[in-house]
Amino acid sequence: MAELPRNNPKKALVSALVAGALTVGFAGMMAKSCGAPAKPQAAPANEALEMVDALASRLVLGLDSDATLQYATPSGTIVTVSQSSPRRAYRSGTVTYIATPDGTYLCVAGPVPSPAKGQKKPSTVPVTCRTGPGADTMSPTEAKSISEAFGGEFMAPEAAVGRLATIAQGDAPHAGASKRGDAQCVSVTANGIRTETACVNPAGMLAYFQGTSDAGKQTELILQYTTPSVSDEAFQPPRPAGASPAPSASKARTATKK
C-alpha cells in the first residue's frame, strides 16, 4: 500500500469517491462538494452526476465526525466501521482492516490448528497481520483491498457513493431520488449497467447500498446500528496469540509519572 499525500480531511474524501471516475467533470463536482469553486464547464449538465454530488455532500459531513457503525452484508456477516478522521477501522468476526497515518493493518484470524494427540485445543484463535505505510486518505486501490478483504461483500461508505458517480458518467445515465426511512437515496443507471442505489441519513452516514462492490461482486449493505462515539482501541490491531496485553492508557500514564 503506497503512502498517500496528507490532505485536508474533507478533500481526503475525493480520492475514495473518484474510484474509477477520474474525469474532468467529476473532479469539478467533488471540488464543489469540498467547498472549492468548480471551474466552468462547457459540457451539458449531467443531472445524474449532480444528484450524486448532493448525496456526496451529505456524506462528507458524516465522515468528519467520530462514529461507530455496524453493517450487515448479504451472507449475514456483520462489519463494524469505526471512524475518527483520518483514522478508519473495519472489523468482522475474522477480518480487521485498519488505516491510520501511522500505519495500515490487515489482520485475519484462524483457522485454529488441530491439536496434537493428547493436547488440548488452543483457547485462542491465531491471528496473522500484514502491515503497510500510514495513510490519511483512501485511494481506489485501498478501497478495493478493503472490499476484497471481506470477501467482496463489503465496501467503504465513501466508495459506495463513488460507485454511483462512476455509473453517472456512463452512456446515457439516469438517476432518481427516493427515501428509505429518514435517509435520502439516489439510484443511478446507464446503458448496459443495472440500477444501483445508495442512501445517506441526516447524520451523514451511509444507511444503505445495493450495487457492485469494489471487488466486482453484487452486494447489499444495510446499516443496523450507529453511535456518535468511538474508542481508541478500535484502531489497534488484534494481538497475535500469546502476545502480552498492551497497557491501558491509565497504566501508561502512571508508569510515565514514576
Side-chain angles (χ1 to χ4, degrees), residues 37-198:
K39 294 182 179 180
Q41 298 180 33
N46 184 330
E47 184 177 355
L49 202 54
E50 290 178 354
M51 293 178 68
V52 176
D53 176 25
L55 197 69
S57 296
R58 296 165 65 95
L59 190 68
V60 166
L61 299 178
L63 291 174
D64 273 348
S65 60
D66 288 2
T68 302
L69 308 91
Q70 190 176 86
Y71 290 95
T73 68
S75 67
T77 298
I78 301 300
V79 179
T80 299
V81 179
S82 304
Q83 62 180 48
S84 181
S85 184
R87 300 178 299 172
R88 308 180 307 280
Y90 312 88
R91 279 186 168 85
S92 69
T94 58
V95 178
T96 297
Y97 191 106
I98 300 173
T100 75
D102 297 322
T104 55
Y105 307 87
L106 172 57
C107 302
V108 180
V112 178
S114 299
K117 188 176 181 180
Q119 293 183 340
K120 294 182 178 180
K121 186 177 181 179
S123 58
T124 57
V125 178
V127 176
T128 302
C129 293
R130 296 204 319 260
T131 62
D136 55 11
T137 63
M138 183 185 294
S139 69
T141 299
E142 185 183 12
K144 184 178 180 181
S145 296
I146 292 171
S147 184
E148 290 177 341
F150 292 92
E153 285 195 329
F154 177 75
M155 63 195 306
E158 306 97 305
V161 178
R163 171 64 185 169
L164 296 195
T166 300
I167 298 173
Q169 294 175 96
D171 182 26
H174 175 75
S178 61
K179 298 278 285 187
R180 184 181 174 90
D182 62 354
Q184 182 65 47
C185 305
V186 172
S187 299
V188 184
T189 187
N191 286 345
I193 303 177
R194 63 191 301 177
T195 301
E196 302 195 11
T197 303

